[in-house]
Amino acid sequence: MKLKQIFTAIALAAVVFSGCEKANIDVDTTPQDGSAIGEVSGVWTKGSVHEIKGDIIVPEGKSLTIEEGVTVLMDATAKPEIIIKGNLYSLGTAESPVKFTVSDAYRTTENKFGKLWGGVLAAPTCAELVLDHTILEYGGNTTSDASTSVKMGLYKAVAGENLPALWFSNINGKLIVQNCIVRNFQEDCTYIEGGKIIFANNVFYTTGVSGGEAMNFKSGCLADVAYNLVYSCNTNALKLSNSGDRIPQAYIIAYNNTMINTGWRRPTAKGGSVWLEATVHADLYNNLFANTRFGIKRDPKKKEDARSLNDYNWYYGYGQTTVDQFQVGSNDIVAGGTHDVRGTKAGENDPKFVNYPLSNDVNSPDFNTAWDFHLQGNSPALGKGTTDFTRHHKAGIALSNGLTYTSPEPATYIGAYGIKL
């Protein structure tokens, strides 16, 4: 690839972080293609390619804006981490998403669970982070004592942890993740420890080898989670917890999500669909569970907040084993409301997807992009949802760059997709 500008400051100067082996250079990005290591800020403009040769850091008080069609190409040998101490705005479009990826040579079946770069790690000083129409793939590298994230005390701050695609940790911060695809990661897709949050219209698949949730929320989070598709994550689609003793208490409102085959690849108590623990306040409506392991399940020793609600959720199992294990009264399954649809026989309550084989192996992490999880016109899940509940961010989350994001209105159908228009 011809580079129009190489950040020559990398070779000319070094500002060493305390306790960090790597030199991190203050580099303001340019409108052209480039390569980067060290401190970055400014704008990566539409359609450019930026090769990340080592860990990059957006400094506190600065911002990096990534425009539509930008490819952020990770060096699979260096396995870089992206540290956000300031703000990050990744602003793709449906036609031209932003991509955090690796070169084609590494996009192989052998690497389908990533570990070829770290993740996007937002320090407590990160006030605003937006991922919109952004693809994150092939990451989740394991930390070592030499990792910048460990030396800076970020994420779990110890060696031996597989990094998530996204970690966010500011209880006063603002986090928007919408219209994104997260795939081919080693463990958790997201690990969120506080903030005003919208997760909407995302797709998660082919993630987690021996553990890992699609969306993992802890104390300090006020989150609206809607219209997400989660396919065959190793553990839960949603892990909802108030662990960490941050204020405010975690309160998650999750509605109109579709979960397929989640939890089967982790045959332990926590492998499932939705996990509630540690006094989390969780309201769940209009969610579709198809061939998932368990349904909404609690930690019996650390239960959810008694104010939590769930109703208008739909359960389908192709096999009797699947149907049996989401019945209330077993496996610490949380009882739903009177409007839940939860049959007792295999094959009952077929949601009638447009194009998905319900007999598909529940243990397979492989995703076919030709599948279509919209509902057919004769689907019994149409018109069975509710809109009679309040969400956190109906009035919107206003950002300092002038953008405002609003959590989407709930639908009267069940799941993330209605009839295909």
Side-chain angles (χ1 to χ4, degrees):
M1 179 183 65
K2 181 178 180 181
L3 302 181
K4 298 180 180 178
Q5 179 171 350
I6 301 295
F7 299 113
T8 56
I10 296 169
L12 299 176
V15 179
V16 180
F17 280 101
S18 177
C20 179
E21 294 177 355
K22 294 185 178 179
N24 292 276
I25 313 307
D26 187 7
V27 179
D28 286 333
T29 58
T30 69
Q32 290 82 32
D33 294 350
S35 65
I37 185 173
E39 292 190 351
V40 298
S41 61
V43 178
W44 289 349
T45 56
K46 178 180 178 179
S48 57
V49 177
H50 295 266
E51 295 186 75
I52 309 304
K53 299 294 188 179
D55 299 342
I56 62 172
I57 299 167
V58 177
E60 185 175 354
K62 294 188 178 183
S63 296
L64 174 63
T65 298
I66 305 177
E67 295 183 339
E68 63 184 272
V70 169
T71 298
V72 184
L73 196 62
M74 305 298 178
D75 186 316
T77 301
K79 301 183 186 300
E81 299 175 350
I82 298 178
I83 309 295
I84 312 299
K85 300 179 75 176
N87 297 332
L88 173 67
Y89 308 101
S90 178
L91 307 177
T93 64
E95 296 76 20
S96 299
V98 173
K99 296 180 182 179
F100 290 79
T101 189
V102 294
S103 64
D104 290 345
Y106 292 97
R107 298 165 57 86
T108 64
T109 299
E110 291 75 14
N111 291 327
K112 69 180 175 182
F113 290 113
K115 295 190 74 172
L116 299 178
W117 60 283
V120 178
L121 308 176
T125 55
C126 172
E128 297 178 351
L129 194 153
V130 177
L131 299 177
D132 191 359
H133 286 103
T134 297
I135 298 170
L136 299 100
E137 59 186 8
Y138 293 98
N141 187 44
T142 306
T143 58
S144 69
D145 290 332
S147 297
T148 297
S149 59
V150 173
K151 292 186 175 184
M152 295 178 68
L154 303 179
Y155 186 46
K156 297 184 180 180
V158 295
E161 291 288 339
N162 297 319
L163 292 171
L166 172 65
W167 172 67
F168 188 85
S169 58
N170 184 349
I171 61 173
N172 298 309
K174 300 173 181 180
L175 173 63
I176 310 296
V177 181
Q178 64 176 30
N179 308 308
C180 293
I181 298 173
V182 182
R183 61 194 177 199
N184 308 110
F185 267 77
Q186 180 73 191
E187 200 164 312
D188 280 355
C189 296
T190 64
Y191 195 99
I192 312 302
E193 298 184 286
K196 295 180 179 179
I197 301 155
I198 296 173
F199 267 62
N201 300 297
N202 303 299
V203 179
F204 303 86
Y205 62 87
T206 313
T207 59
V209 174
S210 59
E213 272 79 25
M215 292 167 277
N216 192 338
F217 295 98
K218 306 299 186 184
S219 61
C221 293
L222 298 176
D224 291 336
V225 181
Y227 299 98
N228 299 289
L229 171 67
V230 182
Y231 174 80
S232 190
C233 56
N234 181 276
T235 313
N236 296 286
L238 288 164
K239 183 177 182 181
L240 309 181
S241 174
N242 191 48
S243 63
D245 299 321
R246 289 170 292 272
I247 296 174
Q249 175 188 16
Y251 185 5
I252 315 301
I253 302 173
Y255 57 96
N256 287 104
N257 299 288
T258 295
M259 289 158 267
I260 310 289
N261 293 9
T262 57
W264 291 102
R265 293 188 294 112
R266 187 178 182 183
T268 63
K270 287 190 176 182
S273 307
V274 177
W275 177 266
L276 306 179
E277 68 174 20
T279 71
V280 66
H281 187 173
D283 295 343
L284 302 111
Y285 304 100
N286 305 346
N287 298 296
L288 198 164
F289 300 85
N291 291 332
T292 62
R293 186 166 183 255
F294 308 130
I296 301 170
K297 185 174 179 178
R298 64 165 58 98
D299 185 335
K301 296 180 180 179
K302 298 183 293 181
K303 295 182 180 180
E304 72 279 9
D305 190 296
R307 295 171 294 174
S308 297
L309 301 170
N310 78 86
D311 201 358
Y312 295 88
N313 296 302
W314 189 284
Y315 299 84
Y316 168 83
Y318 179 80
Q320 193 62 42
T321 298
T322 301
V323 174
D324 290 345
Q325 51 78 52
F326 59 59
Q327 299 302 316
V328 177
S330 63
N331 299 314
D332 299 306
I333 301 300
V334 178
T338 59
H339 302 92
D340 277 359
V341 175
R342 190 191 315 252
T344 59
K345 296 180 180 179
E348 287 184 335
N349 308 315
D350 182 346
K352 296 188 180 298
F353 294 125
V354 167
N355 178 27
Y356 176 72
L358 290 166
S359 60
N360 187 47
D361 181 5
V362 295
N363 291 298
S364 173
D366 299 326
F367 187 84
N368 186 338
T369 56
W371 289 336
D372 189 338
F373 294 95
H374 284 86
L375 303 178
Q376 297 178 34
N378 62 345
S379 169
L382 293 170
K384 297 298 176 61
T386 181
T387 60
D388 188 22
F389 58 90
T390 300
R391 59 196 193 276
H392 293 298
H393 308 303
K394 182 177 181 179
I397 298 176
L399 304 182
S400 60
N401 64 358
L403 298 175
T404 298
Y405 293 88
T406 303
S407 56
E409 295 278 351
T412 57
Y413 53 80
I414 305 293
Y417 310 104
I419 296 175
K420 191 171 186 177
L421 300 177

